[in-house]
Amino acid sequence: MSLSLKPLADALGTEATGVDLSASVSEEIVEALKEALRDNLLLVVRDQHLSAAQYLAAVRLFGETMEQHLSDLLMEEHPEIAVLDSRNSPVGNDGRGIPLGSKDWHTDHTNHANPPKMTAMYALSLPRAGGDTGFANMHLAYEALPDEDKAHFDGLKTVNRIENNPYVSDAHKKRFGAAQIHPLIRTHPETGRKAIYIHPGKTERIEGMGEDESDAFVDRLMARAIQPENSYRHQWQLGDLVIWDNRSISHIAYRDYDHKERRIMHRVILAGDTPV
Ligand code: SIN
């Protein structure tokens, strides 16, 4: 078995095959995977067969795991892992599930002072069709803005708060409830590239704007930012381990399937630094 790396889309993403992360892997292979992730912002490692402990060990090749505020979804034996099971999703008025991460394009956990640098998901069960995740390259979204918008947005800050989700306990809502201020335009600490950095659902408002003005601003910004040419839609295969860079990418879980069919993902986040 030998590692093979292949681009997934023009905008972002590398597919890795020929690597088994349940066993120890050489330093050379780890470096090749890290480089692919750094250059292409998202890595799909196909065809993995991992216990929870092996999954955590694999993800820790890329950084330190971080506590998630998703209290009711955390695995008892391995609380670093949140189990996203579509059958437990809240149901909307249309009778369809509203899985975690499906409300808007976002980066993760911006209600933390140091939000996660990366998120990983491992696919254990999939619906017959759909259950895709969308990813957008927010460096390209920033770079496509006219210069006057870049100059304006560069100075803006978002005020972030935890959302009122049913799977977060009151204790966690309180513990992770303090407002966190982050720059709207973030510079990647390793590559120096700027990106639009926002979780619309957690953005209480843009600093200095009223609520309505802020909501309208964020809606307009996201409508401009997410474009086919800067995006990639991942169609999951069982055994996919996908890891992406939250400092560079926005993502969304599509509601394109029947949530009563089992879509089960193990989700882990990796510690990041203070956005600047
Ligand atoms: C998330 O937003 O973290 C979950 C995405 C997904 O389940 O596809």
Side-chain angles (χ1 to χ4, degrees):
M1 191 152 53
S2 68
L3 175 68
S4 163
L5 297 170
K6 200 173 91 188
L8 283 164
D10 288 345
L12 61 101
T14 297
E15 177 191 64
T17 51
V19 61
D20 175 5
L21 296 176
S22 71
S24 76
V25 279
S26 69
E27 202 47 43
E28 199 186 341
I29 287 180
V30 174
E31 277 317 307
L33 294 174
K34 282 185 178 170
E35 190 179 313
L37 180 54
R38 187 172 57 246
D39 293 348
N40 300 303
L41 315 177
L42 172 141
L43 184 66
V44 177
V45 189
R46 298 279 192 200
D47 203 20
Q48 298 305 297
H49 302 273
L50 304 171
S51 65
Q54 287 167 336
Y55 172 45
L56 283 171
V59 171
R60 286 187 174 122
L61 296 172
F62 300 90
E64 272 173 51
T65 55
M66 171 180 165
E67 185 180 6
Q68 314 196 45
H69 56 240
L70 307 169
S71 50
D72 300 0
L73 308 182
L74 304 180
M75 213 181 215
E76 213 167 296
E77 324 81 80
H78 296 286
E80 304 94 330
I81 298 177
V83 180
L84 312 189
D85 183 333
S86 59
R87 293 168 304 173
N88 302 331
S89 305
V91 176
N93 293 334
D94 57 3
R96 295 171 54 226
I98 310 174
L100 179 130
S102 65
K103 288 186 196 153
D104 50 22
W105 288 83
H106 61 279
T107 185
D108 279 333
H109 282 44
T110 55
N111 59 303
H112 293 244
N114 296 329
K117 66 172 184 174
M118 289 170 188
T119 299
M121 294 212 310
Y122 175 48
L124 286 118
S125 175
L126 292 171
R128 274 169 299 177
D132 303 348
T133 307
F135 297 95
N137 180 331
M138 300 305 269
H139 296 301
L140 295 181
Y142 172 78
E143 287 156 14
L145 294 171
D147 285 347
E148 62 269 28
D149 285 344
K150 283 186 187 144
H152 174 209
F153 298 168
D154 260 336
L156 296 180
K157 295 198 184 315
T158 56
V159 181
N160 296 266
R161 274 201 199 273
I162 195 164
E163 288 163 289
N164 190 23
N165 281 325
Y167 33 79
V168 182
S169 67
D170 288 345
H172 269 200
K173 278 182 193 144
K174 198 162 163 213
R175 197 162 137 227
F176 298 106
Q180 302 295 339
I181 315 279
H182 296 308
L184 175 65
I185 306 302
R186 177 175 189 175
T187 303
H188 195 288
E190 288 157 33
T191 63
R193 282 179 87 187
K194 289 184 175 187
I196 300 171
Y197 181 73
I198 190 163
H199 187 316
K202 291 193 171 71
T203 301
E204 192 173 77
R205 62 196 159 76
I206 304 287
E207 215 175 44
M209 291 187 194
E211 204 178 308
D212 291 348
E213 183 190 0
S214 175
D215 289 351
F217 172 88
V218 172
D219 286 351
R220 275 198 312 273
L221 177 66
M222 292 313 278
R224 289 169 76 188
I226 310 297
Q227 298 296 334
E229 62 272 18
N230 63 28
S231 303
Y232 161 69
R233 182 170 178 141
H234 186 62
Q235 296 180 312
W236 291 87
Q237 296 175 18
L238 280 180
D240 278 356
L241 191 169
V242 177
I243 179 161
W244 65 87
D245 192 324
N246 282 313
R247 301 160 297 186
S248 307
I249 278 184
S250 273
H251 62 280
I252 191 168
Y254 283 105
R255 293 174 72 201
D256 57 353
Y257 64 104
D258 179 351
H259 73 282
K260 294 192 281 314
E261 288 186 30
R262 295 190 323 159
R263 179 188 190 263
I264 300 180
M265 299 282 172
H266 280 185
R267 178 187 194 266
V268 173
I269 54 177
L270 295 183
D273 47 23
T274 309
V276 285

mmCIF file of all heavy atoms in Angstrom, residues 185-204:
data_model
loop_
_atom_site.group_PDB
_atom_site.id
_atom_site.type_symbol
_atom_site.label_atom_id
_atom_site.label_comp_id
_atom_site.label_asym_id
_atom_site.label_seq_id
_atom_site.Cartn_x
_atom_site.Cartn_y
_atom_site.Cartn_z
ATOM 1 N N ILE A 185 -12.129 39.574 9.100
ATOM 2 C CA ILE A 185 -11.118 39.117 8.145
ATOM 3 C C ILE A 185 -9.931 38.613 8.959
ATOM 4 O O ILE A 185 -9.320 39.356 9.722
ATOM 5 C CB ILE A 185 -10.666 40.257 7.199
ATOM 6 C CG1 ILE A 185 -11.889 40.893 6.499
ATOM 7 C CG2 ILE A 185 -9.651 39.737 6.182
ATOM 8 C CD1 ILE A 185 -12.747 39.950 5.671
ATOM 9 N N ARG A 186 -9.657 37.336 8.799
ATOM 10 C CA ARG A 186 -8.633 36.686 9.612
ATOM 11 C C ARG A 186 -7.413 36.344 8.756
ATOM 12 O O ARG A 186 -7.557 35.938 7.601
ATOM 13 C CB ARG A 186 -9.253 35.394 10.175
ATOM 14 C CG ARG A 186 -8.279 34.596 10.966
ATOM 15 C CD ARG A 186 -8.888 33.377 11.625
ATOM 16 N NE ARG A 186 -7.862 32.848 12.518
ATOM 17 C CZ ARG A 186 -8.008 31.862 13.335
ATOM 18 N NH1 ARG A 186 -9.161 31.246 13.427
ATOM 19 N NH2 ARG A 186 -7.018 31.460 14.112
ATOM 20 N N THR A 187 -6.224 36.505 9.357
ATOM 21 C CA THR A 187 -4.998 36.135 8.641
ATOM 22 C C THR A 187 -4.550 34.757 9.115
ATOM 23 O O THR A 187 -4.420 34.517 10.318
ATOM 24 C CB THR A 187 -3.880 37.171 8.918
ATOM 25 O OG1 THR A 187 -4.373 38.459 8.520
ATOM 26 C CG2 THR A 187 -2.622 36.855 8.133
ATOM 27 N N HIS A 188 -4.322 33.855 8.174
ATOM 28 C CA HIS A 188 -3.939 32.489 8.540
ATOM 29 C C HIS A 188 -2.556 32.506 9.181
ATOM 30 O O HIS A 188 -1.602 33.046 8.594
ATOM 31 C CB HIS A 188 -3.942 31.600 7.286
ATOM 32 C CG HIS A 188 -3.915 30.149 7.601
ATOM 33 N ND1 HIS A 188 -2.799 29.510 8.094
ATOM 34 C CD2 HIS A 188 -4.884 29.209 7.537
ATOM 35 C CE1 HIS A 188 -3.071 28.228 8.286
ATOM 36 N NE2 HIS A 188 -4.342 28.025 7.965
ATOM 37 N N PRO A 189 -2.419 31.922 10.383
ATOM 38 C CA PRO A 189 -1.133 32.028 11.089
ATOM 39 C C PRO A 189 0.023 31.326 10.389
ATOM 40 O O PRO A 189 1.180 31.656 10.624
ATOM 41 C CB PRO A 189 -1.415 31.382 12.453
ATOM 42 C CG PRO A 189 -2.640 30.565 12.272
ATOM 43 C CD PRO A 189 -3.426 31.182 11.148
ATOM 44 N N GLU A 190 -0.260 30.348 9.525
ATOM 45 C CA GLU A 190 0.850 29.636 8.872
ATOM 46 C C GLU A 190 1.130 30.155 7.465
ATOM 47 O O GLU A 190 2.284 30.242 7.065
ATOM 48 C CB GLU A 190 0.543 28.131 8.801
ATOM 49 C CG GLU A 190 0.631 27.472 10.171
ATOM 50 C CD GLU A 190 -0.186 26.188 10.253
ATOM 51 O OE1 GLU A 190 -0.303 25.476 9.244
ATOM 52 O OE2 GLU A 190 -0.731 25.930 11.347
ATOM 53 N N THR A 191 0.087 30.513 6.736
ATOM 54 C CA THR A 191 0.319 30.899 5.331
ATOM 55 C C THR A 191 0.272 32.408 5.122
ATOM 56 O O THR A 191 0.666 32.903 4.067
ATOM 57 C CB THR A 191 -0.751 30.257 4.410
ATOM 58 O OG1 THR A 191 -2.040 30.777 4.794
ATOM 59 C CG2 THR A 191 -0.767 28.752 4.541
ATOM 60 N N GLY A 192 -0.248 33.162 6.105
ATOM 61 C CA GLY A 192 -0.339 34.616 5.974
ATOM 62 C C GLY A 192 -1.469 35.076 5.053
ATOM 63 O O GLY A 192 -1.627 36.272 4.823
ATOM 64 N N ARG A 193 -2.269 34.141 4.542
ATOM 65 C CA ARG A 193 -3.380 34.542 3.644
ATOM 66 C C ARG A 193 -4.581 35.009 4.463
ATOM 67 O O ARG A 193 -4.882 34.463 5.520
ATOM 68 C CB ARG A 193 -3.830 33.353 2.778
ATOM 69 C CG ARG A 193 -2.917 33.075 1.619
ATOM 70 C CD ARG A 193 -3.412 31.877 0.844
ATOM 71 N NE ARG A 193 -4.390 32.239 -0.192
ATOM 72 C CZ ARG A 193 -5.053 31.337 -0.906
ATOM 73 N NH1 ARG A 193 -4.886 30.056 -0.697
ATOM 74 N NH2 ARG A 193 -5.910 31.728 -1.830
ATOM 75 N N LYS A 194 -5.276 36.018 3.918
ATOM 76 C CA LYS A 194 -6.473 36.519 4.596
ATOM 77 C C LYS A 194 -7.703 35.746 4.135
ATOM 78 O O LYS A 194 -7.761 35.292 2.984
ATOM 79 C CB LYS A 194 -6.668 37.996 4.292
ATOM 80 C CG LYS A 194 -5.639 38.873 4.972
ATOM 81 C CD LYS A 194 -5.945 40.323 4.707
ATOM 82 C CE LYS A 194 -4.985 41.206 5.487
ATOM 83 N NZ LYS A 194 -5.337 42.609 5.394
ATOM 84 N N ALA A 195 -8.692 35.649 5.032
ATOM 85 C CA ALA A 195 -9.947 34.955 4.705
ATOM 86 C C ALA A 195 -11.101 35.632 5.431
ATOM 87 O O ALA A 195 -10.914 36.228 6.493
ATOM 88 C CB ALA A 195 -9.861 33.495 5.150
ATOM 89 N N ILE A 196 -12.298 35.526 4.849
ATOM 90 C CA ILE A 196 -13.515 35.934 5.570
ATOM 91 C C ILE A 196 -13.748 34.866 6.635
ATOM 92 O O ILE A 196 -13.770 33.665 6.329
ATOM 93 C CB ILE A 196 -14.715 36.024 4.612
ATOM 94 C CG1 ILE A 196 -14.446 37.057 3.509
ATOM 95 C CG2 ILE A 196 -15.993 36.356 5.377
ATOM 96 C CD1 ILE A 196 -15.479 37.080 2.395
ATOM 97 N N TYR A 197 -13.917 35.305 7.888
ATOM 98 C CA TYR A 197 -13.979 34.356 9.010
ATOM 99 C C TYR A 197 -15.240 34.637 9.812
ATOM 100 O O TYR A 197 -15.309 35.624 10.551
ATOM 101 C CB TYR A 197 -12.717 34.541 9.876
ATOM 102 C CG TYR A 197 -12.647 33.602 11.042
ATOM 103 C CD1 TYR A 197 -12.372 32.253 10.849
ATOM 104 C CD2 TYR A 197 -12.856 34.047 12.338
ATOM 105 C CE1 TYR A 197 -12.310 31.372 11.920
ATOM 106 C CE2 TYR A 197 -12.789 33.182 13.417
ATOM 107 C CZ TYR A 197 -12.517 31.846 13.191
ATOM 108 O OH TYR A 197 -12.458 30.972 14.257
ATOM 109 N N ILE A 198 -16.253 33.772 9.663
ATOM 110 C CA ILE A 198 -17.531 34.090 10.319
ATOM 111 C C ILE A 198 -18.400 32.846 10.523
ATOM 112 O O ILE A 198 -18.391 31.926 9.688
ATOM 113 C CB ILE A 198 -18.309 35.161 9.497
ATOM 114 C CG1 ILE A 198 -19.514 35.672 10.283
ATOM 115 C CG2 ILE A 198 -18.697 34.654 8.126
ATOM 116 C CD1 ILE A 198 -20.096 36.975 9.751
ATOM 117 N N HIS A 199 -19.096 32.835 11.646
ATOM 118 C CA HIS A 199 -20.188 31.883 11.872
ATOM 119 C C HIS A 199 -21.465 32.717 11.988
ATOM 120 O O HIS A 199 -21.734 33.305 13.047
ATOM 121 C CB HIS A 199 -19.941 31.099 13.164
ATOM 122 C CG HIS A 199 -20.929 29.988 13.362
ATOM 123 N ND1 HIS A 199 -22.281 30.140 13.133
ATOM 124 C CD2 HIS A 199 -20.759 28.703 13.755
ATOM 125 C CE1 HIS A 199 -22.894 29.004 13.378
ATOM 126 N NE2 HIS A 199 -22.004 28.115 13.750
ATOM 127 N N PRO A 200 -22.266 32.809 10.917
ATOM 128 C CA PRO A 200 -23.440 33.701 10.965
ATOM 129 C C PRO A 200 -24.372 33.396 12.129
ATOM 130 O O PRO A 200 -24.888 34.320 12.771
ATOM 131 C CB PRO A 200 -24.125 33.461 9.617
ATOM 132 C CG PRO A 200 -23.018 33.029 8.716
ATOM 133 C CD PRO A 200 -22.091 32.217 9.584
ATOM 134 N N GLY A 201 -24.590 32.109 12.438
ATOM 135 C CA GLY A 201 -25.517 31.755 13.523
ATOM 136 C C GLY A 201 -25.017 32.186 14.895
ATOM 137 O O GLY A 201 -25.804 32.369 15.822
ATOM 138 N N LYS A 202 -23.715 32.303 15.026
ATOM 139 C CA LYS A 202 -23.147 32.700 16.321
ATOM 140 C C LYS A 202 -22.824 34.187 16.348
ATOM 141 O O LYS A 202 -22.393 34.704 17.382
ATOM 142 C CB LYS A 202 -21.898 31.878 16.627
ATOM 143 C CG LYS A 202 -22.204 30.412 16.915
ATOM 144 C CD LYS A 202 -21.008 29.702 17.520
ATOM 145 C CE LYS A 202 -21.379 28.318 18.007
ATOM 146 N NZ LYS A 202 -21.655 27.353 16.938
ATOM 147 N N THR A 203 -22.987 34.855 15.212
ATOM 148 C CA THR A 203 -22.692 36.290 15.168
ATOM 149 C C THR A 203 -23.889 37.052 15.717
ATOM 150 O O THR A 203 -24.902 37.210 15.035
ATOM 151 C CB THR A 203 -22.367 36.748 13.725
ATOM 152 O OG1 THR A 203 -21.237 35.993 13.273
ATOM 153 C CG2 THR A 203 -22.022 38.227 13.672
ATOM 154 N N GLU A 204 -23.749 37.493 16.944
ATOM 155 C CA GLU A 204 -24.822 38.296 17.553
ATOM 156 C C GLU A 204 -24.974 39.575 16.739
ATOM 157 O O GLU A 204 -26.073 40.018 16.441
ATOM 158 C CB GLU A 204 -24.411 38.600 18.987
ATOM 159 C CG GLU A 204 -25.484 39.174 19.855
ATOM 160 C CD GLU A 204 -24.987 39.261 21.286
ATOM 161 O OE1 GLU A 204 -24.194 40.184 21.589
ATOM 162 O OE2 GLU A 204 -25.353 38.392 22.098
#
